Amino acid sequence: MVAGDDGFDRYRPSAVGEMLRDRPPMARELPVFDPDLAPAEPGPLFVDWLVQALEAGVLDPQVMTLSTVDADGVPDARALVLRDVDAAEGAWLFAAEANSPKGRQLALSPMAALSVYWPPLGRQVRVRGSVEAAPPAVSAEEFRGRSPGARVASLVGRQSEPLGSLAAYDLAADEAQLLLDADPALVAAGHTVYMLRAAEVEFWQGDPSRRHVRLRYTRTGLGTGRIAWTSTLLWP
């Protein structure tokens, strides 16, 4: 945006703003979501929407944005792969290196949010709750089930540290590949599966006329071992 000449904080759209304004989102036919037909719990509904995204050919529908906070309370976010959903427990599973920025942030503040948007369907899901690490045996099993390339990358480690050159990474990856060849059962130190136990889950169905439908589930009985949910519609 460009500031006006009158000294006030008045702005007019830049070329980028004009370009975005000319490409309105969700200008297409989208599915209809009837919240009256939604299940009593969010897990089964998420799995249903995920399956529909897969069937609709959505690219990488399992990629979600994980949001955490650092030691100073500053938010951080990055895309990662959803590994599983425990629909009965209302839990979402993902993996990370314990010594990565997100791993360290979760150790300091074990609360996080996951969000996903599937553009062809105009659907968004937001999940917030507490995070806990799975037992080491679970993390090891998940690691061994990964592709060779993914295991090599995890064995290289040093995530988010400064990198001098791409050649330096290639050399480290070659060394990691040799370790994996020598021991196919090798597991990267610090590889951890995390489980986000949802306190809130919101399902958002977009609408071209902006009559969006939002349904929020809230877990009740937190800390009692009892799993129950209430749901409510939200204004768009």
Side-chain angles (χ1 to χ4, degrees), residues 5-233:
D5 295 331
D6 54 8
F8 293 96
D9 292 332
R10 297 167 61 185
Y11 298 89
R12 59 182 174 80
S14 67
V16 174
E18 293 283 0
M19 177 182 65
L20 295 176
R21 190 170 62 183
D22 291 341
R23 295 290 298 272
M26 296 178 291
R28 56 189 178 278
E29 185 177 352
L30 296 173
V32 174
F33 172 46
D34 185 350
D36 290 335
L37 301 179
E41 300 177 349
L45 181 56
F46 179 86
V47 172
D48 182 51
W49 276 25
L50 178 61
V51 170
Q52 291 183 44
L54 287 164
E55 293 175 344
V58 175
L59 297 177
D60 303 327
Q62 73 275 49
V63 173
M64 306 188 75
T65 298
L66 172 71
S67 299
T68 54
V69 294
D70 65 15
D72 297 319
V74 179
D76 203 353
R78 76 290 287 163
L80 49 67
V81 177
L82 176 69
R83 294 297 173 181
D84 202 354
V85 179
D86 188 332
E89 290 288 330
W92 279 251
L93 282 72
F94 60 92
E97 295 298 319
N99 197 40
S100 68
K102 53 184 169 289
R104 295 194 298 269
Q105 289 166 6
L106 288 171
L108 288 171
S109 179
M111 302 291 292
L114 286 170
S115 60
V116 62
Y117 177 58
W118 296 308
L121 301 175
R123 286 176 170 173
Q124 176 185 215
V125 182
R126 302 167 61 207
V127 185
R128 296 198 303 167
S130 60
V131 179
E132 62 187 62
V138 173
S139 298
E141 181 180 5
E142 192 276 336
F143 182 85
R144 296 187 183 108
R146 292 185 163 208
S147 68
R151 281 179 283 162
V152 165
S154 292
L155 288 167
V156 169
R158 306 177 222 176
Q159 191 178 80
S160 299
E161 294 180 8
L163 175 64
S165 68
L166 293 178
Y169 175 84
D170 293 337
L171 178 60
D174 289 341
E175 294 173 349
Q177 184 65 64
L178 291 175
L179 292 174
L180 192 60
D181 290 342
D183 183 5
L186 184 64
V187 175
H191 179 78
T192 305
V193 170
Y194 293 94
M195 175 181 291
L196 190 158
R197 293 188 181 276
E200 291 182 354
V201 186
E202 181 191 319
F203 294 83
W204 185 95
Q205 174 62 69
D207 182 86
S209 66
R210 301 305 185 264
R211 185 182 176 274
H212 310 312
V213 177
R214 297 174 62 188
L215 180 66
R216 182 179 65 198
Y217 290 83
T218 303
R219 190 193 294 259
T220 60
L222 285 172
T224 66
R226 170 178 165 269
I227 300 176
W229 299 88
T230 60
S231 61
T232 184
L233 285 172

